[in-house]
């Protein structure tokens, strides 16, 4: 069975991402560039209901 959706690899992030649409960094899949970069500016992923920002 193919895994097509995965939780964003950012620890605080609750978003589920489609693997094919994910921002990839190494082996991990992130919902946004901010998550992939570890929230360098402290900005969130801007998804509703998610409070991650590093
Ligand atoms: Zn998020
Ligand atoms: Zn995320
Ligand atoms: Zn995040």
């Amino acid at each position: 069975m193919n895994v097509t959706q995965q939780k964003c690899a950012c620890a605080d992030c609750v978003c589920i991402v489609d693997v094919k649409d994910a921002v990839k960094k190494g082996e991990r899949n992130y919902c946004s560039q901010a998550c992939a970069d570890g929230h360098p500016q402290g900005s969130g992923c801007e998804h509703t209901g998610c409070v991650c920002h590093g």
Side-chain angles (χ1 to χ4, degrees):
M1 200 169 88
N2 286 337
V3 178
T4 57
Q5 293 195 311
Q6 205 170 62
K7 190 190 146 310
C8 175
C10 174
D12 294 332
C13 187
V14 297
C15 301
I16 304 297
V17 293
D18 265 312
V19 171
K20 64 172 163 49
D21 295 334
V23 177
K24 299 191 192 308
K25 193 164 194 178
E27 309 248 297
R28 298 168 188 272
N29 295 298
Y30 296 89
C31 70
S32 65
Q33 194 64 51
C35 285
D37 291 343
H39 301 286
Q41 270 90 48
S43 56
C45 72
E46 299 179 359
H47 292 120
T48 306
C50 184
V51 297
C52 76
H53 42 73

